[in-house]
């Protein structure tokens, strides 16, 4: 942050402090309102490909788009480690995984670290968090929270409260999390203070359970296939070939796609014990009879379609059928997220909160919607490396602008702190996005970002890797049980189908990027020693399971 940017904020804070102290009769709320409220909206596994502000090829999200239309849309936003809890740890600490220690979804977050909500709370903000955190412990710096235990449930979910109790709420998670957020803004807030609200959806995380009305509507729709649905991973390395996230081979008919286990068995298509799990102990088993009755006719229709067609289908047909079922449920879940975000935006408008509230929409990472034949995330390849990001802030961010700068979830904490005029701890590793938000793009100098993924061996079998991405290139090293490098020429091969690491034409690029990657590892304090430490820790943890 430079002096010019700091000045207006410093002035407004000085004004707030002095008015608060000396002029008791003055309308305090007016002055205090200069510190913006922040609503941080994050969904779980929401791919940018499923947001119409980016592309309406698959679906429309009119309410999420309102945020982009009223503010800035980032087209090159990425995460530092494409998996849930590590992404959240990076967001809250403003530090890379190897520094905050949350390398995977297994280990609990180290709560002795400073997170940005703590700094907001200390600075006089009212703070709240509703929805999914996934840390294995409760958040600090939050006045009031209701968080889902672990991954949480879609149907009749449990929540952990500020006092540590576990309570059950009847209904659909996306609606309930929104109700809690609106109720907090409406009834529980101290209106003389600015607020930070973390509004965190569980949807559209696997195993997808839409609301009945959406389930019905979307189960009748069909969606365009991505070009690389039948990718055979030639011209890629071992990691892409051995990953277990192919829709045809690894997506489960019953658990993921809602074919009854007995039907799957009868047709000899059962490939995984979890096929029965969805009905026996998944969200379906949490429904009361009335709720089940709303789902049954739709489930019956899906099952009839499966029975009628599966036995005569080719492998390609099966892939296509599974892809369509996947998209139907995934996009149906998103439609409910979108409607609920509309409710929150309407609430701000109707309650005169719109002008002074920053609204952010993002996801904890991206997701594959059939690209390379995949679902899930974890890879540094485009669809899971990128994450949606849009921010509106009336009178500060021009409506309808876009930025293709290489920004990351690492930058969020510093951005929010600067926007609120709270000083930024020196050891945070990101950069405030304020220059990009306020049109001072010449002050933004970063041209590459660092990525590091750890959770392996694990579900989906995505190998450990780290790398550097610029707008032009991506250089990745896979390690642990392989030692393989990959280079993608993003301008000529945006879909990342050809690893050109061994192509002599790129020899100079490889040398240059390897040097930049080494410099980056040094700058962010990552190292081979740390990699080894995390490997040992991970082995230990798995041995104890
Ligand atoms: C669960 C899912 C995985 C997913 C991880 C991590 N399996 O384990 O498909 O990759 O969560 O997701 S499931 O059988 O439980 O659905 S994350 O978003 O929490 O990182
Ligand atoms: Ca996630």
């Amino acid at each position: 942050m430079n002096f010019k940017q700091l000045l207006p904020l410093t002035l407004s804070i000085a004004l707030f402090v002095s008015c608060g102290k000396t002029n008791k009769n003055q309308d305090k709320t007016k002055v205090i309102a200069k510190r913006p409220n922040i609503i941080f909206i994050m969904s779980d596994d929401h791919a940018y490909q499923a947001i119409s502000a980016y592309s309406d090829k698959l679906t429309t999200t009119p309410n999420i788009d309102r945020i982009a239309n009223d503010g800035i849309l980032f087209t090159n936003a990425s995460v530092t480690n494409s998996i849930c809890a590590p992404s959240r740890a990076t967001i809250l600490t403003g530090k890379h995984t190897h520094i905050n220690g949350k390398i995977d979804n297994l280990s609990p977050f180290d709560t002795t670290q400073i997170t940005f909500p703590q700094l907001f709370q200390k600075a006089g903000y009212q703070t709240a968090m509703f929805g999914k955190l996934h840390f294995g412990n409760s958040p600090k710096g939050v006045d009031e929270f209701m968080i889902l235990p672990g991954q949480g449930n879609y149907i009749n979910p449990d929540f952990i409260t500020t006092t540590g109790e576990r309570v059950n709420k009847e209904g659909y998670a996306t609606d309930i999390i929104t109700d809690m957020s609106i109720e907090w803004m409406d009834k529980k807030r101290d209106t003389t203070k600015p607020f930070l609200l973390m509004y965190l959806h569980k949807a559209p995380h696997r195993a997808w359970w839409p609301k009945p009305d959406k389930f019905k509507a979307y189960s009748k729709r069909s969606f365009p296939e991505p070009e690389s649905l039948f990718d055979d991973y030639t011209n890629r390395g071992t990691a892409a070939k051995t990953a277990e996230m192919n829709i045809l081979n690894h997506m489960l008919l019953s658990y993921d796609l809602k074919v009854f286990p007995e039907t799957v068995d009868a047709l000899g298509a059962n490939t995984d014990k979890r096929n029965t799990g969805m009905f026996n102990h998944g969200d379906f088993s949490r429904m009361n009879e009335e709720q089940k009755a709303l789902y049954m006719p739709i489930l019956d229709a899906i099952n009839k379609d499966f029975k009628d067609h599966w036995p005569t289908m080719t492998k390609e047909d099966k892939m296509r059928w599974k892809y369509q079922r996947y998209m139907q449920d995934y996009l149906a879940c998103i439609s409910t997220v979108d409607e609920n975000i509309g409710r929150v935006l309407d609430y701000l408008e109707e309650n005169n909160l719109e002008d002074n509230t920053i609204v952010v929409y993002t996801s904890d990472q991206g997701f594959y919607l059939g690209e390379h034949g995949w679902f899930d995330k974890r890879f540094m390849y485009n669809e899971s490396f990128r994450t949606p990001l849009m921010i509106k802030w009336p009178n500060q961010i021009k409506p309808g602008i876009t930025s293709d700068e290489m920004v990351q979830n690492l930058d969020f904490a510093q951005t929010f702190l600067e926007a609120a005029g709270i000083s930024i701890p020196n050891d945070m590793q990101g950069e405030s996005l304020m220059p990009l938000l306020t049109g001072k793009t010449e002050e933004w100098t970063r041209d590459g970002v660092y990525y590091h993924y750890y959770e392996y061996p694990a579900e989906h079998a995505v190998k450990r890797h780290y790398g550097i991405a610029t707008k032009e290139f991506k250089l990745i090293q896979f390690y642990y049980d392989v030692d393989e490098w990959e280079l993608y020429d993003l301008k000529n091969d945006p879909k990342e189908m050809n690893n050109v690491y061994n192509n002599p034409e790129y020899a100079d690029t490889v040398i240059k990027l390897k040097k930049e990657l080494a410099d980056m590892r040094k700058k962010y304090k990552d190292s081979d020693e740390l990699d080894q430490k995390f490997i040992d820790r991970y082995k230990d943890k798995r041995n104890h399971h």
Side-chain angles (χ1 to χ4, degrees):
M1 173 165 51
N2 69 18
F3 178 70
K4 267 187 282 165
Q5 286 167 307
L6 191 61
L7 195 61
L9 288 165
T10 320
L11 283 178
S12 67
I13 292 153
L15 193 65
F16 151 59
V17 172
S18 69
C19 289
K21 272 187 191 153
T22 57
N23 189 349
K24 291 212 170 78
N25 294 329
Q26 186 161 349
D27 178 359
K28 270 196 197 172
T29 45
K30 212 169 143 202
V31 179
I32 291 165
K34 285 192 187 298
R35 295 207 291 177
N37 307 309
I38 299 180
I39 303 187
F40 180 75
I41 314 174
M42 184 159 71
S43 297
D44 195 350
D45 294 359
H46 191 175
Y48 73 87
Q49 309 93 291
I51 295 180
S52 42
Y54 288 100
S55 160
D56 60 5
K57 204 171 128 202
L58 272 181
T59 197
T60 50
T61 48
N63 292 294
I64 294 172
D65 293 4
R66 282 162 69 184
I67 304 172
N69 293 339
D70 290 351
I72 186 167
L73 179 76
F74 287 94
T75 56
N76 258 326
S78 61
V79 293
T80 64
N81 182 357
S82 181
I83 185 151
C84 185
S87 166
R88 290 154 200 265
T90 291
I91 290 170
L92 288 179
T93 60
K95 292 174 185 167
H96 274 282
T97 296
H98 59 273
I99 301 291
N100 69 47
K102 187 84 180 93
I103 60 164
D104 53 44
N105 276 341
L106 311 176
S107 53
F109 175 70
D110 169 6
T111 56
T112 61
Q113 302 180 82
I114 299 291
T115 60
F116 81 80
Q118 286 167 269
L119 301 171
F120 271 75
Q121 192 184 48
K122 231 166 114 190
Y125 267 71
Q126 252 201 315
T127 57
M129 180 186 285
F130 301 104
K132 181 170 170 184
L133 178 64
H134 202 196
F135 270 2
N137 45 39
S138 295
K140 281 194 176 162
V142 180
D143 304 335
E144 181 165 340
F145 63 82
M146 289 284 257
I147 53 170
L148 296 163
Q151 297 281 13
N153 284 100
Y154 282 102
I155 311 290
N156 305 333
D158 285 351
F159 285 88
I160 297 167
T161 71
T162 322
T163 52
E165 288 157 277
R166 199 171 164 128
V167 295
N168 181 261
K169 297 266 172 192
E170 192 176 317
Y172 188 71
T174 308
D175 295 337
I176 297 169
I177 293 164
T178 308
D179 292 345
M180 287 171 175
S181 301
I182 292 178
E183 193 190 293
W184 181 80
M185 286 191 286
D186 204 45
K187 305 221 160 66
K188 304 196 181 156
R189 227 164 28 88
D190 172 352
T191 51
T192 64
K193 288 182 176 176
F195 69 86
L196 166 71
L197 169 62
M198 310 283 287
Y199 165 45
L200 311 172
H201 285 294
K202 174 210 165 48
H205 192 276
R206 190 188 183 200
W208 307 280
W209 273 99
K211 273 179 88 172
D213 56 332
K214 298 290 180 192
F215 189 32
K216 186 170 174 193
Y218 278 72
S219 69
K220 295 186 181 131
R221 288 177 57 179
S222 65
F223 300 92
E225 291 167 6
E227 265 173 51
S228 57
L229 184 63
F230 295 96
D231 195 351
D232 61 4
Y233 316 113
T234 43
N235 304 325
R236 254 62 50 75
T238 310
K241 295 184 175 86
T242 55
E244 294 172 2
M245 42 197 252
N246 181 277
I247 294 172
L248 177 66
N249 301 322
H250 306 107
M251 187 172 267
L252 304 169
L253 283 168
S254 195
Y255 179 83
D256 288 312
L257 303 178
K258 305 177 183 58
V259 182
F260 297 135
E262 48 283 13
T263 315
V264 180
D265 281 341
L267 299 183
N270 203 350
T271 52
D272 190 297
K273 280 202 297 292
R274 279 183 304 168
N275 264 328
T276 53
M278 190 267 293
F279 289 96
N280 293 344
H281 46 79
D283 276 299
F284 188 77
S285 69
R286 302 178 66 83
M287 295 178 197
N288 59 38
E289 291 311 309
E290 220 174 295
Q291 291 170 324
K292 278 186 184 163
L294 296 172
Y295 285 89
M296 278 319 289
I298 314 155
L299 287 166
D300 284 339
I302 291 168
N303 276 267
K304 180 170 181 332
D305 183 61
F306 177 82
K307 266 195 213 154
D308 290 350
H309 297 104
W310 190 263
T312 57
M313 281 184 194
T314 63
K315 260 187 164 185
E316 282 73 23
D317 296 337
K318 287 178 177 169
M319 175 58 132
R320 295 206 154 100
W321 191 90
K322 290 179 94 173
Y323 168 75
Q324 292 300 337
R325 279 269 50 251
Y326 166 34
M327 281 304 94
Q328 289 164 356
D329 290 358
Y330 180 87
L331 296 172
C333 289
I334 286 168
S335 180
T336 303
V337 169
D338 185 69
E339 284 178 3
N340 275 286
I341 288 171
R343 287 172 59 206
V344 169
L345 297 176
D346 290 348
Y347 178 85
L348 296 180
E349 277 175 27
E350 286 154 14
N351 290 276
N352 210 14
L353 283 165
E354 204 196 2
D355 275 357
N356 198 37
T357 302
I358 299 173
V359 181
V360 181
Y361 186 76
T362 190
S363 170
D364 61 343
Q365 14 61 212
F367 214 69
Y368 294 95
L369 306 183
E371 300 85 2
H372 307 292
W374 285 335
F375 64 108
D376 212 65
K377 53 255 177 179
R378 299 161 192 265
F379 275 113
M380 195 188 172
Y381 303 136
N382 182 48
E383 287 78 8
S384 48
F385 174 60
R386 271 180 65 184
T387 198
L389 178 63
M390 58 199 83
I391 307 178
K392 81 179 190 84
W393 186 3
N395 306 317
Q396 299 285 340
I397 303 175
K398 270 202 203 142
I401 58 174
T402 61
S403 169
D404 68 350
E405 293 303 332
M406 306 291 290
V407 306
Q408 285 197 298
N409 58 349
L410 180 71
D411 304 320
F412 295 173
Q414 280 158 259
T415 306
F416 304 154
L417 289 166
E418 184 179 349
I422 302 169
S423 67
I424 298 167
N426 289 333
D427 59 352
M428 282 193 174
Q429 296 185 304
E431 282 173 49
S432 164
L433 304 178
M434 280 297 271
L436 300 175
L437 304 188
T438 54
K440 303 192 181 77
T441 42
E442 68 287 352
E443 289 168 18
W444 181 264
T445 54
R446 179 197 284 162
D447 54 17
V449 292
Y450 182 60
Y451 180 88
H452 198 155
Y453 171 79
Y454 298 82
E455 195 178 288
Y456 178 84
E459 192 178 6
H460 301 298
V462 173
K463 292 188 188 298
R464 288 171 188 244
H465 58 292
Y466 58 79
I468 176 175
T470 65
K471 286 182 197 169
E472 286 83 32
F473 292 103
K474 198 178 283 179
L475 177 76
I476 311 174
Q477 182 177 26
F478 290 92
Y479 68 101
Y480 185 72
D481 51 2
V482 287
D483 179 6
E484 288 182 17
W485 289 84
E486 295 183 10
L487 175 70
Y488 294 92
D489 177 342
L490 303 176
K491 293 274 175 234
N492 292 311
D493 176 27
K495 297 202 157 51
E496 301 170 329
M497 302 297 284
N498 284 301
N499 167 22
V500 291
Y501 181 78
N502 291 314
N503 179 337
E505 282 173 33
Y506 290 90
D508 290 347
T509 307
V510 168
I511 293 172
K512 185 172 162 273
L513 285 172
K514 275 194 173 175
K515 161 103 179 55
E516 284 175 26
L517 177 59
D519 290 348
M520 236 177 214
R521 274 169 72 82
K522 214 179 254 165
K523 169 179 157 193
Y524 289 126
K525 303 189 170 67
D526 202 358
S527 65
D528 293 345
E529 291 70 43
L530 271 179
D531 293 347
Q532 193 52 51
K533 187 185 119 190
F534 290 131
I535 287 169
D536 295 343
R537 200 179 93 181
Y538 193 75
K539 275 189 189 149
D540 259 15
K541 208 165 33 191
R542 286 174 63 86
N543 289 340
H544 285 110
H545 264 46

